[in-house]
Amino acid sequence: MGFSGAERTRAAPPFPERVGAAFQLLMQIRMLIAAVNMALILVPGRPPVEEFVLLLFVAMISWLSARRWRQIAPRMAAHPLLLVLDMCLSFVVLGIGGTSGPFLLATLVTAAVAGLLYRWPGMLAVAGLQIACYYTSLAVSAPIVPVDFQTLLGQPIYYPLAGFAGVALRRLLDDFAAQEAALRSAEVAAAAAQERSRLAREMH
């Protein structure tokens, strides 16, 4: 017998609270990175208005994602395209400001989020797409960024590493949740056995 959309929604398991808290923290970190970059580009003599506006947009999205993680994180986990769109915006900023700036850290946060939400398969796909976007941004910003070993090979390898950190964090959180569930089940079983023993004593 089939289920309606509403019934499937009700039957869906709740999004893990600790995973949501980690997602919220990563979004807060990204918001801080964007804010720091906004402050840095306000240096006199460098008025990149388009970069400032995009950074402001990234900061606002990060703030909203952190504040409304209970609505946003489950949707992003169910629809990876949302993370891809968010990632594309970050790489537009990277292409304008250069791949060697501090905003690179914000794109690494996205890789960690991919590992947290999608585990290995999704993380590897996102990290591969990020590497492709990185080289595209590098080609666009080549006139302002010196191409050396660090920019050509060193920085792109950070994406799968950050993604691995997200996967490892998700595994730790899942293991902890499983241990908690097992402990609760054991406590319920012990309480039920104790109650049965008490009833048996009262009956005799």
Side-chain angles (χ1 to χ4, degrees):
M1 183 176 178
F3 292 97
S4 67
E7 289 171 334
R8 281 196 299 268
T9 301
R10 286 196 297 269
F15 194 77
E17 189 81 13
R18 287 188 177 87
V19 175
F23 174 85
Q24 181 185 42
L25 177 61
L26 289 172
M27 288 296 107
Q28 289 171 340
I29 292 172
R30 197 178 72 164
M31 179 183 65
L32 180 60
I33 294 170
V36 168
N37 277 264
M38 288 167 62
L40 290 175
I41 67 173
L42 289 177
V43 174
R46 189 190 174 203
V49 177
E50 67 281 0
E51 184 181 358
F52 184 87
V53 171
L54 287 171
L55 282 168
L56 179 61
F57 196 48
V58 170
M60 290 175 61
I61 290 176
S62 302
W63 173 81
L64 182 63
S65 298
R67 184 174 177 83
R68 302 286 187 182
W69 70 263
R70 284 183 173 83
Q71 294 78 36
I72 293 175
R75 285 182 173 84
M76 195 172 283
H79 305 286
L81 182 60
L82 295 175
L83 184 68
V84 171
L85 293 174
D86 177 84
M87 181 192 72
C88 290
L89 173 63
S90 296
F91 278 100
V92 170
V93 179
L94 203 66
I96 295 173
T99 56
S100 295
F103 189 74
L104 178 72
L105 298 174
T107 63
L108 297 178
V109 171
T110 304
V113 170
L116 181 71
L117 296 182
Y118 311 127
R119 301 181 180 88
W120 276 111
M123 182 279 288
L124 292 174
V126 170
L129 187 56
Q130 283 186 301
I131 291 173
C133 290
Y134 170 87
Y135 283 118
T136 302
S137 300
L138 180 62
V140 170
S141 61
I144 60 173
V145 176
V147 177
D148 53 17
F149 177 82
Q150 178 66 16
T151 56
L152 195 59
L153 295 175
Q155 291 175 172
I157 200 65
Y158 293 147
Y159 293 115
L161 291 178
F164 170 76
V167 172
L169 177 59
R170 178 62 182 264
R171 183 180 299 169
L172 287 173
L173 295 175
D174 287 347
D175 288 347
F176 189 78
Q179 291 172 7
E180 263 195 341
L183 180 60
R184 283 195 300 268
S185 296
E187 289 174 347
V188 169
Q194 192 174 23
E195 181 64 15
R196 285 195 298 269
S197 298
R198 185 184 67 80
L199 292 173
R201 285 195 302 271
E202 290 179 354
M203 290 176 64
H204 290 86

